[in-house]
């Protein structure tokens, strides 16, 4: 106490009950969320400004380009934009979101959540809920400012659409980032869920169904990409003419190329919907499907739209796209049979059916995300219908996956040999049944014991434990005199208890290599052993004494 008063060190006062300590880690998470949103806005702003500078005929100044960049950032979250500058004077909504553009805010938000969850040794470690809330607050604050700013540009955001699209994307991305930073734990489930639901979710069938459904959806998307690529190659001349006719400057063509690249995931979903049967809408009452395409004369000129099938009824070439859902159904059935040796046929069929449901839900969600209006009147409906695409994916995969899963289950659980082989095996057992009789077994055991000595006990007789004793064994006389030059002398041995030493084994070689020296009498080959017979002994070489 004296030391404290002499040094002038004051004791820290107790914190007040009503005052909360500010957390620098939480503030850093809020700043991280805001920075993630700012990086996405900055990237799009730089890209739009570069295209605006390189354009020979800009429609507006730099302020208009920045407003357009804010609108594109909102469109990347799924927000519907409204274009007021139209020829008819009627506001035209723009709601088709380029799915590749969605990856920009998702990756940035996920990275911000992961950085907020990671902490150094001397820093404060926040709970997962605190990190999630802090990062989300910073991101949504910038999103609100961007929504207000984009209202003064050529394409303003619909406030109602922005109010739920931006939080939805931010919540999913932040939750994925926090979950990944915590090691991707699969439990425990929240306590507010009912007990029956928590017990049902942890069952292995749901994990297999999720994996099977995801596999089927990936197969459908890959098949859709093949359909789109084949159509682009088939209509290569039309695609090239459409690309060159849109603009004659390199900056405009570069912008068209970037837009086409960001729409490639949308085209994959459209191709999958086309292969499933419902097809996709290209305006009011116009649908492109494998069974026929009536044609749409009012479509804008765009390279991806130039790859549409020719107008008219379907042909065997368009019907061949049915191979894609068939392969997807087989994939769902194959992935659903990972536990064939542990469950019954009904469990396998149920897992395949649940996988089909997962595939249908995934395709319905992707179809809803890839579609949207591109204007009013004819272009008000553009893209696949989500409920039709999801239902078609469910029916295709369920019809094929369940029988395939049951068949694969039966194949994996088949017996190793057929009925004929089993009958033949039973007949052989009947002939050679005497081999397993108790008397024959005793005879075989006795023969084995006789051949192996005392290592194998008698059948049915308990062998008492034997305590090994070291018997007194006479030492072998050592060679006293130095050997002659060129004559190899064996080192003396020490006999201890162990294995059986046959004295006749050392007669031949020892007599030839040891020279008679001093009082030791020469040993003739075959005359006698070098050491007396000892039962239960082991021969060890004597170690050389250390040199002084």
């Amino acid at each position: 106490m004296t030391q404290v008063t002499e040094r002038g060190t004051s004791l820290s006062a107790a914190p007040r009950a009503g005052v909360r300590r500010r957390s620098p880690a939480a503030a850093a998470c809020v700043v991280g969320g805001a920075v993630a949103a700012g990086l996405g806005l900055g990237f799009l702003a730089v890209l739009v400004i570069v295209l605006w500078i390189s354009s020979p005929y800009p429609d507006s100044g730099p302020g208009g380009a920045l407003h357009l960049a804010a609108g594109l950032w909102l469109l990347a979250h799924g927000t519907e934009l409204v274009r007021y500058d139209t020829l008819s004077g009627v506001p035209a909504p723009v709601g088709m979101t380029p799915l590749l553009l969605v990856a920009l805010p998702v990756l940035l938000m996920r990275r911000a959540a992961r950085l907020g969850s990671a902490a150094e040794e001397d820093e404060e470690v926040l709970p997962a809920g605190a990190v999630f809330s802090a990062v989300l607050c910073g991101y949504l604050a910038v999103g609100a400012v961007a929504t207000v700013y984009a209202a003064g540009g050529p394409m303003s955001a619909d406030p109602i659409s922005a109010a739920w699209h931006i939080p939805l994307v931010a919540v999913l991305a932040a939750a994925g980032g926090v979950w990944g930073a915590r090691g991707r734990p699969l439990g425990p489930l929240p306590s507010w869920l009912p007990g029956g639901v928590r017990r049902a979710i942890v069952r292995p069938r749901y994990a297999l169904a999720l994996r099977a459904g995801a596999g089927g959806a990936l197969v459908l998307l890959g098949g859709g990409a093949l359909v789109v690529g084949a159509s682009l190659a088939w209509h290569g001349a039309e695609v090239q003419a459409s690309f060159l006719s849109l603009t004659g400057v390199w900056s405009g063509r570069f912008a068209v190329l970037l837009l086409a690249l960001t729409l490639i995931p949308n085209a994959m979903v459209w191709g999958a919907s086309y292969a499933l049967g419902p097809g996709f809408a290209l305006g009011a009452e116009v649908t492109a499907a494998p069974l026929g395409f009536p044609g749409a004369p009012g479509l804008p000129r765009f390279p991806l739209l130039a790859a549409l099938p020719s107008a008219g009824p379907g042909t065997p070439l368009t019907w061949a796209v049915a191979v894609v859902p068939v392969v997807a159904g087989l994939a769902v059935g194959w992935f659903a049979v990972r536990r064939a040796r542990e469950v019954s046929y009904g469990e396998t069929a149920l897992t395949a059916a649940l996988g089909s449901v997962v595939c249908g839900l995934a395709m319905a969600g992707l179809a809803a995300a890839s579609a949207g209006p591109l204007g009013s009147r004819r272009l008000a409906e553009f893209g696949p219908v989500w409920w039709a695409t999801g239902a078609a994916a469910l029916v295709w995969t369920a019809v094929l996956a369940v029988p395939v899963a049951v068949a694969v289950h039966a194949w994996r659980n088949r017996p190793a040999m057929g009925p004929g082989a089993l009958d033949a095996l039973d007949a052989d057992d009947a002939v050679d049944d005497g081999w397993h009789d108790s008397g024959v077994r005793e005879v075989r055991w006795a023969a084995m014991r006789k051949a192996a000595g005392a290592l194998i006990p008698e059948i049915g007789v308990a062998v008492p434990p034997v305590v090994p004793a070291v018997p007194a064994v006479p030492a072998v006389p050592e060679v006293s005199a130095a050997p002659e030059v060129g004559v190899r002398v064996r080192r003396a041995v020490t006999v201890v208890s162990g294995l059986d030493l046959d004295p006749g084994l050392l007669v031949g070689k020892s007599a030839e290599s040891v020279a008679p020296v001093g009082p030791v009498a020469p040993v003739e080959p075959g005359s006698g052993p070098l050491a007396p017979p000892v039962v239960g002994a082991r021969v060890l070489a004597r170690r050389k004494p250390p040199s002084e």
Side-chain angles (χ1 to χ4, degrees), residues 229-404:
S231 183
L232 287 173
W234 187 269
H235 303 85
E238 293 85 348
V239 172
Q240 183 179 5
S242 174
F243 179 76
L244 296 177
S245 63
L246 285 175
T247 179
V249 296
W250 69 269
S251 59
R253 291 177 179 176
F254 181 69
V256 172
L257 181 62
L258 287 180
L259 181 58
L261 290 177
T262 56
L263 288 173
I264 285 180
N266 301 62
M268 293 170 59
V269 179
W270 290 23
S273 180
Y274 182 84
L276 287 170
F280 48 88
L282 294 173
E285 300 179 356
V286 177
T287 303
L291 299 179
F293 177 48
L299 292 177
R301 299 181 63 87
F302 194 71
L304 292 179
L305 296 179
L308 292 173
S310 303
T315 61
L317 187 61
T318 59
W319 301 339
V321 296
V323 177
V324 175
V326 170
V327 176
L330 297 179
V332 172
W334 178 264
F335 284 113
V337 201
R338 291 297 181 92
R339 300 170 58 241
R341 301 185 183 275
E342 305 174 7
V343 297
S344 61
Y345 288 96
E347 181 74 13
T348 300
L350 179 60
T351 304
L354 291 177
S356 302
V357 173
V358 172
C359 182
L361 292 176
M363 292 306 301
L366 291 174
S370 65
L374 283 180
S376 57
R377 298 177 184 177
R378 290 185 176 182
L379 298 181
E381 299 177 5
F382 217 75
V385 182
W386 66 270
W387 61 266
T389 302
L394 172 61
V395 172
W396 272 102
T397 53
V399 169
L400 294 171
V402 174
V404 168

Side-chain angles (χ1 to χ4, degrees), residues 14 16 37-40 54 92 100 183 198 220 234 252 326 355 375 400 434 476-477 501:
R16 298 180 181 178
L39 288 177
S54 59
L100 190 61
R198 284 183 291 176
L220 288 174
W234 187 269
V326 170
L400 294 171
V476 179
L501 176 63

Side-chain angles (χ1 to χ4, degrees), residues 406-454:
V406 173
V408 174
H409 184 109
W411 174 259
R412 291 185 179 180
N413 290 338
R414 70 189 186 280
M417 294 175 293
L422 292 177
D423 295 339
L425 182 60
D426 295 340
D428 295 340
D429 292 344
V431 173
D432 299 333
D433 193 38
W435 175 263
H436 299 282
D437 292 343
S438 59
V440 178
R441 288 168 46 223
E442 293 176 359
V443 172
R444 294 200 312 270
W445 189 270
M448 294 172 58
R449 185 174 181 277
K450 183 178 180 180

Side-chain angles (χ1 to χ4, degrees), residues 24-36 112 116 126 130-131 133-139 141-142:
C29 290
V30 174
V31 174
V35 169
L126 294 178
V131 175
S133 303
V135 174
L136 192 62
C137 288
Y139 195 89
V142 178

Side-chain angles (χ1 to χ4, degrees), residues 200-209 339 347 351:
I201 291 177
V202 297
R203 292 180 180 176
R205 84 158 67 104
Y206 296 101
L208 286 178
R339 300 170 58 241
E347 181 74 13
T351 304

Side-chain angles (χ1 to χ4, degrees), residues 119 193 347 461 520:
L193 287 176
E347 181 74 13
V461 178
V520 181

